[in-house]
Amino acid sequence: MLIAKDMMTTTELYEIAKLVAHYPVARAACIDVLKLVQKNRRYISDDILAEVARILGMSISELDEVATFYNLIYRQPVGETVILLCDSVTCWMMGRNKIAKSIMDNLTIKDGETTADGKYTLLPIVCLGHCDHAPAMLMGQTLVGDLDSTKINKLLPKA
Amino acid sequence: MERPLTKNIIANQEPYDLAAYQAVGGYQAVLQTIGRIDPTKVLEIVVDSGLGGCGGGGFPTGRKWQAMPSREERPGTHYFIVNADEMEPGTFKDRLLLEGDPHQLIEGIILSAYAVQADHSYIFIRGEYHRAITLIEHAVSEAEAAGLLGLNILGSGYNLVIHVHGGAGRYICGEETALLNSLEGRRAVPRSKPPLPMTSGLFGAPTVVNNVETVCNIPHIIANGADWYRNLGQNGAVGTKIFGVSGRVKKPGAYELPMGTPMQDMIENYAGGMQHGYKLRAVLPGGASTGFMLAEDLDIPMSFAAFAAKGNRLGTGTAIILDDQTCPIGLIANLQHFFAQESCGWCAPCRDGLPWVERTLKAIEIGEGKMDDLDLLTDISDTMAPGRTFCALAPGAMASLMTGLSYFRDEFERHIRDGKCPWT
Ligand SMILES: Cc1cc2nc3c(=O)[nH]c(=O)nc-3n(C[C@H](O)[C@H](O)[C@H](O)COP(=O)(O)O)c2cc1C
Ligand code: SF4
Ligand code: FES
């Protein structure tokens, strides 16, 4: 569920305190905290970034430097479900480009885009450690392997 | 044949919980060791076992641990960190261990941390491994509830806490000093060495970083002894290892085999050989950072030493098969795209060199290359030789490029001469 984008909830503040307790200095928890608050908002807006920076005693640019470095922290809105399709070597060899094309056709988006209804975003990802079932993708938190167009048509049917 | 690392792993089944793990002898090594055997003795067993690091380097684990200062020399927190960032393309062995037998890893951490007298542990798991993170977090809480973790473990006076840190994605986080920066909440750029993490690691404290598979070996070594472990290997190597094969073989997958098993044996007898209609052309033996091997060299025993003697690396031990119907130039371009994208940007040869390499290869792949490009590619790889960059990412990227340029020279020339890729 999506909650007010730029306000931290009490539950979140409590969870943040718990994460910070795992480290000797607060800023060390910043990646865990960004992931936590992103879970409820899909992405890290400027406002929420500033709020997290304030809570952890970091400057905004210090935190943004971290936020923009990592692949799984989104600084732009993404869809409800992010589809991460592996583009590394074995998946490439086993036909990931064809799979990408079926997904793009079915969802009428290009790589990196979000569907008009905000349901899906398609992004490339490095090897998912599922190479013995290549080509593979993560749909949200679910790992799916041995992809072929039949599977794609079932999981992500044409609208 | 003994398969200590995977004996509890049953395909497509939930892993053992604490009770089931204990029912098959799990945590016996912890019960018999913590507070009963001196940590230096535990360390000695690991030194004698000859266990080499499974993160790709094969560095002797015992020797790494010996570099940790004692608590008398360096009071305060000491860290034991598990590297579960597995992101090396073509590698799928640590996920198997994380998801297949979480308590084996926890038991390994307790024993390892005890041996180096660390009181705090982080398990750094890549963020994409959602299932692994959930399962490992659950195993940690089960172990805490059973008094196997926390303060005064089993009344021994030894304390150990574990925190599971889910990463936010970047290959470079797997480089151990970049991993430390990431755990400190910074950009994951490598640190200069020396000092090594054992002297100044996480938050400046003495720190050991070990790979998941390395740590999973420890309970078995402690329970059965160094001689037993050494005898598991073949052809002069010690222990077992999780090897794997991906690509167009009949049965791609991960296989726990004696260290020193010939590569050919794994591909033919475990992975079932090539799929109908495909021929094996070359192999990347252990992930994207290793050099190509040709079919005639596959009788090599899979051990760190045997590969080093051939000027290659065993790497992660999970082999990628290049078949005769895949364009080698396209495959190398794909590898270089990965490295160029994942370069942390800290040092110039890697940050600027790899994107150039990628562009040049992509141009050759589609038939827009020049013969001069081949010499330039050879020259630029010198600027990324070991020792010329801040970390091993760039030299790793050059391994497949250099071996590829020499083994597939005529394919490169054919693309350039004909102005197109023969495979498309
Ligand atoms: C670019 C790069 C990425 C690495 N990625 C990993 C990784 O994902 N997992 C890992 O265990 N080691 C990785 N390593 C090796 C680690 O730096 C380190 O050597 C290893 O974790 C030590 O553990 P071990 O002695 O048990 O092998 C990587 C090294 C480099 C240079
Ligand atoms: S070699 Fe590449 S990845 Fe390593 S420090 Fe330099 S820029 Fe970063
Ligand atoms: S290469 Fe795609 S999962 Fe490993």
Side-chain angles (χ1 to χ4, degrees), chain B residues 3 6 36 47 123 153 159 168 208 222 236 269 295 362 416 422 424:
Chain B
R3 306 186 292 125
T6 52
R36 291 168 179 246
V47 172
I123 310 176
I153 296 172
N159 309 327
V208 166
I222 301 305
N269 300 328
K362 291 216 158 128
I416 296 168
T424 48

Side-chain angles (χ1 to χ4, degrees), chain B residues 71-403:
Chain B
R71 299 199 68 82
E72 290 71 43
E73 289 168 86
R74 289 280 297 276
T77 302
H78 290 200
Y79 292 102
F80 183 82
I81 290 167
V82 180
N83 189 343
D85 190 55
E86 183 167 77
M87 237 188 258
E88 176 79 16
T91 303
F92 48 97
K93 66 178 185 72
D94 294 340
R95 193 167 65 82
L96 176 76
L97 291 168
L98 293 162
E99 293 181 0
D101 201 5
H103 279 290
Q104 172 174 249
L105 178 68
I106 308 300
E107 182 169 18
I109 296 173
I110 299 171
L111 293 163
S112 308
Y114 180 73
V116 299
Q117 287 292 288
D119 52 348
H120 207 116
S121 176
Y122 292 97
I123 310 176
F124 187 109
I125 309 182
R126 68 178 289 196
E128 294 88 346
Y129 280 6
H130 297 285
R131 180 156 185 265
I133 293 173
T134 308
L135 290 168
I136 295 288
E137 276 179 342
H138 179 70
V140 168
S141 56
E142 276 188 316
E144 274 169 359
L148 293 161
L149 286 172
L151 294 179
N152 193 19
I153 296 172
L154 305 166
S156 64
Y158 175 61
N159 309 327
L160 176 67
V161 291
I162 298 183
H163 176 61
V164 178
H165 172 95
R170 271 315 273 273
Y171 171 59
I172 195 61
C173 292
E175 198 281 338
E176 59 183 14
T177 59
L179 185 151
L180 299 178
N181 277 335
S182 193
L183 271 178
E184 291 184 9
R186 300 172 195 282
R187 290 169 84 97
V189 291
R191 298 175 177 178
S192 73
K193 289 174 256 187
L196 290 171
M198 290 76 90
T199 313
S200 177
L202 191 62
F203 303 108
T207 303
V208 166
V209 182
N210 272 130
N211 171 258
V212 170
E213 188 183 0
T214 312
V215 181
C216 288
N217 271 293
I218 302 297
H220 309 292
I221 292 172
I222 301 305
N224 302 303
D227 287 339
W228 167 87
Y229 181 77
R230 299 187 75 89
N231 284 329
L232 294 174
Q234 286 180 2
N235 295 314
V238 303
T240 62
K241 169 147 188 25
I242 301 183
F243 295 103
V245 191
S246 72
R248 291 211 152 82
V249 288
K250 290 205 183 93
K251 288 186 290 174
Y255 305 97
E256 181 178 2
L257 301 172
M259 196 67 132
T261 302
M263 172 83 82
Q264 184 77 46
D265 191 19
M266 169 173 72
I267 296 173
E268 288 302 322
N269 300 328
Y270 292 89
M274 295 301 286
Q275 286 175 15
H276 187 71
Y278 291 93
K279 274 211 195 71
L280 184 150
R281 176 157 202 189
V283 176
L284 289 171
S289 307
T290 56
F292 283 103
M293 292 166 62
L294 295 176
E296 59 260 36
D297 297 322
L298 297 182
D299 52 352
I300 185 171
M302 295 189 289
S303 73
F304 295 109
F307 273 72
K310 293 263 181 199
N312 203 342
R313 291 173 52 247
L314 178 62
T316 59
T318 38
I320 305 159
I321 311 287
L322 169 64
D323 60 71
D324 62 341
Q325 288 165 51
T326 299
C327 174
I329 320 300
L331 184 130
I332 298 170
N334 174 281
L335 295 173
Q336 296 304 323
H337 166 73
F338 167 82
F339 288 113
Q341 172 183 295
E342 295 302 319
S343 165
C344 80
W346 192 246
C347 56
C350 173
R351 179 188 58 231
D352 298 338
L354 290 175
W356 183 86
V357 168
E358 181 193 350
R359 279 197 305 277
T360 307
L361 286 168
K362 291 216 158 128
I364 298 175
E365 187 194 359
I366 58 169
E368 291 173 3
K370 300 186 290 294
M371 286 295 173
D372 289 350
D373 290 343
L374 300 182
D375 295 333
L376 285 172
L377 282 169
T378 310
D379 288 347
I380 201 169
S381 74
D382 280 345
T383 67
M384 286 182 258
R388 298 221 164 148
T389 55
F390 217 68
C391 85
L393 183 142
M398 291 303 101
S400 60
L401 179 63
M402 291 324 292
T403 47

Side-chain angles (χ1 to χ4, degrees), chain A residues 22-23 27-28 30-32 35 65-66 69-72 87 89-90 92-93 125-130 141 143, chain B residues 91-92 95 122 126 128-129 163 165-170 182 184-188 246 248 321 330-331 334:
Chain A
H22 288 293
Y23 299 89
R27 74 155 291 158
C30 72
I31 295 168
D32 299 81
K35 285 179 67 179
E65 185 182 282
V66 175
F69 185 84
Y70 295 95
N71 299 332
L72 300 179
D87 70 353
V89 57
T90 305
W92 172 83
M93 217 171 10
I125 190 78
V126 301
C127 177
L128 290 167
H130 206 35
Q141 302 208 346
L143 183 60
Chain B
T91 303
F92 48 97
R95 193 167 65 82
Y122 292 97
R126 68 178 289 196
E128 294 88 346
Y129 280 6
H163 176 61
H165 172 95
R170 271 315 273 273
S182 193
E184 291 184 9
R186 300 172 195 282
R187 290 169 84 97
S246 72
R248 291 211 152 82
I321 311 287
L331 184 130
N334 174 281

